[in-house]
Amino acid sequence: MSFDFGPERFERRDLIVLETGIGRLGVEPDKEALFKFLTFHDLLLEANSNINLTKVIGWSDVVQRHYLDSLSVILAAPSLHEGKDIILDVGSGFGMPGFPLNLIFPGNNFFLLESTKKKLTFMDSVIQRMSLSNIETVLGRAEDLAKKECHRENYSLVVSRAVATLPVLLELTLPFCRIGGMVVAMKGGGVGLEISRSTRALKLLGGEIDKVVDVGERLPCSEGQLVVIRKVSETPLSFPRKAGIPKKRPLLN
């Protein structure tokens, strides 16, 4: 597969919405980074014709619902600008938010955790074919990998997008986060109830709600909210519980 980076390509698929949206997030992307989104999109379309990675495939829809939504993490984690974070994307799927963040902030180190082999195979192909640096995939379930020394409390930033309700998600993410680091839970609108039901989970797992960022203030088309959780104390070794248990028996108040 060949990739055309000429000006006619720029005109055929409008990059203005992407560039404008990124600008609204306080980032000024270079043209090379923008063109890389076109390349990623080509690879997504190619793979999606064989395996079901996403139902949202039209360029303008993907820009709004996947690429800009993923990049909204910068509103919660301005440290991404510094290029020093070690980032774990839990339940990355086909690479959201990991790939967009890597394309714009390549100086950070990214690890994309996914339990579905076909999705991980797609992500590995993207990394190889786009020659991306500082990014790799991790195959497995969060409940199992969080018990391993090489992953436990190893990451300065843990992100997750639409994986589970907040009490469940806290158990799947906080064990990976180092003390002083943070978890960013990417949610839709109306997270108040989920937060109110997470007091027990936060206390048991060593987290503390820092703030909730309303993405719509920067991206008017978005209803997203970012729940920012600070890791304030060590997570007991008994967490996370065995695979499937956090979802079946969440740590509710």
Side-chain angles (χ1 to χ4, degrees):
M1 184 177 182
S2 62
F3 301 117
D4 175 12
F5 292 106
E8 68 279 6
R9 178 67 173 280
F10 185 89
E11 294 169 1
R12 188 167 69 248
R13 248 185 299 188
D14 186 9
L15 285 171
I16 294 177
V17 174
L18 177 61
E19 184 175 17
T20 301
I22 295 174
R24 286 181 178 273
L25 296 172
V27 180
E28 187 175 345
D30 58 40
K31 297 301 182 185
E32 183 180 355
L34 291 174
F35 282 126
K36 285 181 179 179
F37 279 90
L38 293 176
T39 303
F40 176 84
H41 192 69
D42 279 339
L43 295 174
L44 176 61
L45 292 177
E46 179 186 56
N48 208 64
S49 65
N50 298 312
I51 56 175
N52 182 26
L53 295 170
T54 175
K55 294 180 180 179
V56 180
I57 58 172
W59 170 252
S60 59
D61 290 332
V62 171
V63 166
Q64 294 284 1
R65 295 176 60 180
H66 290 312
Y67 302 155
L68 291 178
D69 186 62
S70 294
L71 291 171
S72 71
V73 170
I74 188 61
L75 301 177
S79 61
L80 286 165
H81 284 287
E82 301 173 14
K84 298 177 181 178
D85 274 312
I86 303 175
I87 301 157
L88 181 67
D89 177 3
V90 175
S92 191
F94 64 97
M96 301 293 121
F99 278 129
L101 290 171
N102 174 262
L103 295 181
I104 298 297
F105 305 106
N108 300 281
N109 290 303
F110 293 86
F111 296 85
L112 312 183
L113 171 58
E114 176 55 47
S115 62
T116 304
K117 180 64 176 176
K118 66 178 182 179
K119 294 178 181 178
L120 188 119
T121 299
F122 165 71
M123 293 193 291
D124 281 337
S125 175
V126 170
I127 292 169
Q128 180 181 12
R129 295 172 71 175
M130 292 185 66
S131 300
L132 299 179
S133 59
N134 296 335
I135 186 167
E136 61 184 83
T137 61
V138 183
L139 178 64
R141 297 191 61 143
E143 297 99 322
D144 300 323
L145 292 173
K147 297 286 189 180
K148 296 185 179 295
E149 186 177 352
C150 60
H151 291 293
R152 192 170 187 86
E153 299 192 330
N154 184 58
Y155 301 92
S156 58
L157 175 61
V158 182
V159 296
S160 191
R161 182 174 182 253
V163 168
T165 60
L166 191 59
V168 176
L169 188 60
L170 292 172
E171 188 170 355
L172 300 179
T173 54
L174 277 170
F176 289 106
C177 188
R178 63 178 59 162
I179 296 174
M182 67 181 184
V183 170
V184 177
M186 305 177 69
K187 292 288 186 177
V191 296
L193 179 60
E194 288 190 43
I195 291 174
S196 68
R197 301 180 72 189
S198 299
T199 303
R200 178 170 176 247
L202 288 165
K203 183 176 181 180
L204 288 172
L205 300 167
E208 186 177 271
I209 299 291
D210 182 72
K211 59 185 174 181
V212 177
V213 178
D214 185 358
V215 178
E217 292 182 0
R218 294 292 189 94
L219 299 177
C221 293
S222 174
E223 296 181 354
Q225 291 183 294
L226 307 175
V227 184
V228 183
I229 304 102
R230 290 285 177 186
K231 182 69 172 286
V232 295
S233 61
E234 189 174 313
T235 301
L237 292 176
S238 55
F239 297 108
R241 292 165 292 170
K242 291 183 179 180
I245 299 300
K247 186 175 181 179
K248 290 179 181 178
R249 298 202 299 270
L251 299 171
L252 299 176
N253 299 342

